[in-house]
Amino acid sequence: MSLSPGLLLRDFRLVDETMDMPGSVWIEQGIIRDVFPQGALLPETRLPMHQTIQGGGTLVLMPALVDLHAHFRDPGYPEKETLESGSLAAVAGGYGTVVCMANTKPVIDTLAKARTLKKRADTLGLMDLYPVLALTQGMEGKVLSEIRCLKGPLHESEPWIPMLSEDGKDVVSDDLLYQAMQEARRLGVPLSCHCDAGGPEAEEAKAAGKPREFWSRIEENHATQRVLELAWQAQGHVHIAHVSTKESVDLIRKAKGRRQEKPGPLGFTLTAEATPHHLCLTHGTAHALGDTTWGRVNPPLRTEADRQALIQAVRDGTIDAIATDHAPHTERDKLQGAPGFTGLETSFALCQMELVQQDRLSLSRLSSLMSASPARILGFTDRGRIAPTFRGDLMVVDTEAVWQVNPSLFRSRGKNSPVPGLPCRGRVLMTIYQGRVVFESFLSPDSSSGKGK
Ligand code: NCD
Ligand code: ZN
């Protein structure tokens, strides 16, 4: 991929996790070289051949987003999504880095399969895709995958595998999950856990015909407790995916407190993510969309009390990152009950409206949750901030642009948004990857840029 010679982004509001100030940014060879505060003399005559993008008004320049959790369905389910459509959706949502889950066909459970995917994504040159490796062969929960044979640490031998996960399914056997955690520690990468192995209480509730919202809560809480206990013994870095119940939030908060008092001999890191849909929506939305069809997702949308607990958790750092769990499906699959929402193209607007515009978080803190913090979880020190030596992966946002979610305009093949028709304020207008513009919004006639309501 050719890197752009030079890009000057002039007179923007610059926001990342450590700053919110007016200024300009100079990118050269794909890397941020300089950040100039407003009023500083730009040494334009000394800059080599370059392109200029002018800011102003309500335009904000932020680091591109980093997604810890997406499903691109490639290989195996091109009717739902492909590497190409998923990547286009990602850059349209402001993402420069996306971790893709392994529940494809075939399952990504070997280095060779992961490498093929990674090479194809790199050829597209739109953003950085990172495949996870599944924990067990074929995600069948019986035998550990190739993770058992790899040489560690992975950041030296295979730095493009920054995470392991069996997402889409929990590993039911405690013993196998514990072994996987030990391998992840040996390999020096986080293991992302999909917590829904319910245990006997959930099974009883199911058998007694209790509703899904009842037993799925028991499942998540039980599985989170189990993962925290196993992680405490195995040590290493365990990451909890899509936290959705207030009880799980409490368990994670307590485990983090305990870890701080006594980190353990081998080093134990615990991180957690929440999705935009669990932070912004509740079961009322699922019900309106159809609990068993368009509103179905794993874990399910929960109560207002759960949502408030999640918001508190992103405010106090119990939840470290916001990840989409982008899960595209066809209309047919949704009508047959496939769980999941498409989310890459609406995540920033939803979070900005619900968290920033409602004064629950600053834009700087949202940037931390969607860029710098997920980058840190993956061990990347080169992205997620606007500072010299960081990658020129950025997005331009208009915090006042008014638009409406129209799934038929999504780049994603998955039109299964939980918020079709939602009026939004705040939009990603441009995505820059390694100093090159890879996405520029075409504002439809029903959109306007300027002062919103
Ligand atoms: C996931 C998918 O579609 O891959 N769906 C979801 O609702 N999160 C799988 C899963 O976690 O069930
Ligand atoms: Zn998922």
Side-chain angles (χ1 to χ4, degrees):
M1 191 195 69
S2 64
L3 296 171
S4 82
L7 179 63
L8 181 63
L9 295 131
R10 271 188 91 123
D11 306 332
F12 280 88
R13 175 182 166 199
L14 308 179
V15 175
D16 76 359
E17 72 168 3
T18 61
M19 82 177 153
D20 186 339
M21 66 166 202
S24 303
V25 174
W26 169 241
I27 301 175
E28 208 179 318
Q29 297 293 313
I31 307 286
I32 298 174
R33 299 289 173 200
D34 262 310
V35 178
F36 305 99
Q38 197 73 358
L41 204 60
L42 299 186
E44 275 189 84
T45 47
R46 284 197 282 111
L47 303 180
M49 274 268 293
H50 68 271
Q51 179 192 354
T52 300
I53 296 173
Q54 183 66 41
T58 48
L59 297 181
V60 186
L61 187 66
M62 298 175 72
L65 307 177
V66 175
D67 195 2
L68 294 173
H69 187 157
H71 299 267
F72 274 14
R73 311 298 189 204
D74 198 333
Y77 304 98
E79 68 286 6
K80 293 179 195 266
E81 196 79 290
T82 61
L83 201 56
E84 290 76 10
S85 62
S87 302
L88 288 169
V91 298
Y95 287 87
T97 300
V98 175
V99 173
C100 283
M101 291 301 166
N103 60 343
T104 48
K105 195 169 71 183
V107 165
I108 306 299
D109 54 4
T110 66
L111 216 47
K113 286 181 207 161
R115 192 177 281 119
T116 306
L117 201 59
K118 175 71 178 152
K119 275 199 182 141
R120 281 181 50 216
D122 286 351
T123 312
L124 285 182
L126 287 170
M127 49 131 221
D128 272 346
L129 175 147
Y130 292 99
V132 303
L133 282 183
L135 307 180
T136 70
Q137 288 177 18
M139 285 180 63
E140 286 173 354
K142 292 184 186 135
V143 182
L144 280 192
S145 70
E146 214 182 50
I147 61 168
R148 153 184 79 87
C149 323
L150 300 179
K151 211 165 119 342
L154 283 184
H155 68 260
E156 281 172 13
S157 56
E158 315 289 349
W160 51 279
I161 301 280
M163 188 175 248
L164 309 179
S165 181
E166 192 98 328
D167 181 78
K169 251 186 183 179
D170 207 343
V171 176
V172 177
S173 154
D174 288 354
D175 188 42
L176 210 52
L177 186 55
Y178 181 67
Q179 285 177 40
M181 285 178 181
Q182 286 182 310
E183 298 300 352
R185 172 169 53 76
R186 182 179 63 77
L187 295 170
V189 285
L191 190 161
S192 171
C193 293
H194 170 114
C195 296
D196 73 0
E201 201 191 328
E203 289 312 312
E204 263 168 44
K206 268 189 213 176
K210 297 267 193 238
R212 178 167 176 255
E213 64 186 57
F214 182 82
W215 53 255
S216 74
R217 174 181 296 277
I218 305 177
E219 280 187 341
E220 178 171 335
N221 297 345
H222 175 273
T224 304
Q225 174 76 45
R226 174 183 81 130
V227 154
L228 293 174
E229 280 165 16
L230 291 174
W232 184 253
Q233 291 162 37
Q235 305 274 290
H237 181 167
V238 167
H239 175 79
I240 315 271
H242 45 50
V243 178
S244 75
T245 68
K246 55 187 188 319
E247 295 84 9
S248 292
V249 165
D250 285 342
L251 289 169
I252 293 164
R253 189 177 284 120
K254 274 199 199 96
K256 283 192 167 188
R258 181 176 161 200
R259 186 207 154 265
Q260 242 170 2
E261 280 165 25
K262 211 168 68 170
L266 301 172
F268 174 40
T269 305
L270 176 62
T271 54
E273 74 189 31
T275 70
H277 45 273
H278 291 108
L279 283 163
C280 302
L281 308 172
T282 61
H283 57 174
T285 300
H287 198 60
L289 290 168
D291 289 312
T292 58
T293 56
W294 295 98
R296 190 180 179 106
V297 66
N298 283 336
L301 297 181
R302 308 271 189 199
T303 65
E304 181 60 17
D306 292 304
R307 191 177 84 88
Q308 290 301 334
L310 283 182
I311 292 174
Q312 182 51 36
V314 295
R315 284 167 60 99
D316 70 19
T318 303
I319 300 281
D320 302 84
I322 296 177
T324 64
D325 194 9
H326 174 79
H329 290 290
T330 61
E331 182 175 348
R332 189 160 165 258
D333 291 346
K334 283 306 288 176
L335 292 176
Q336 290 178 353
F341 296 145
T342 190
L344 284 166
E345 289 165 85
T346 50
S347 54
F348 181 78
L350 271 188
C351 292
Q352 208 225 185
M353 282 196 298
E354 194 53 46
L355 303 174
V356 180
Q357 289 169 5
Q358 303 280 332
D359 287 331
R360 286 157 168 148
L361 294 181
S362 66
L363 193 56
S364 189
R365 176 82 184 118
L366 183 63
S367 176
S368 178
L369 286 157
M370 298 187 83
S371 298
S373 178
R376 269 193 295 275
I377 289 172
L378 297 170
F380 296 141
T381 54
D382 63 346
R383 68 197 75 187
R385 289 209 29 224
I386 301 182
T389 76
F390 276 73
R391 293 236 315 224
D393 293 359
L394 301 166
M395 64 174 185
V396 175
V397 165
D398 183 343
T399 51
E400 296 297 330
V402 178
W403 61 291
Q404 206 173 10
V405 175
N406 180 352
S408 70
L409 297 178
F410 284 169
R411 275 82 177 163
S412 171
R413 291 196 177 174
K415 311 301 179 193
N416 48 315
S417 168
V419 288
L422 183 78
C424 294
R425 187 154 62 98
R427 184 169 202 180
V428 176
L429 293 186
M430 183 183 281
T431 306
I432 295 162
Y433 170 65
Q434 299 198 35
R436 278 183 311 122
V437 176
V438 288
F439 166 76
E440 220 176 327
S441 167
F442 166 75
L443 287 180
S444 57
D446 62 331
S447 309
S448 65
S449 181
K451 291 279 157 267
K453 48 188 161 71

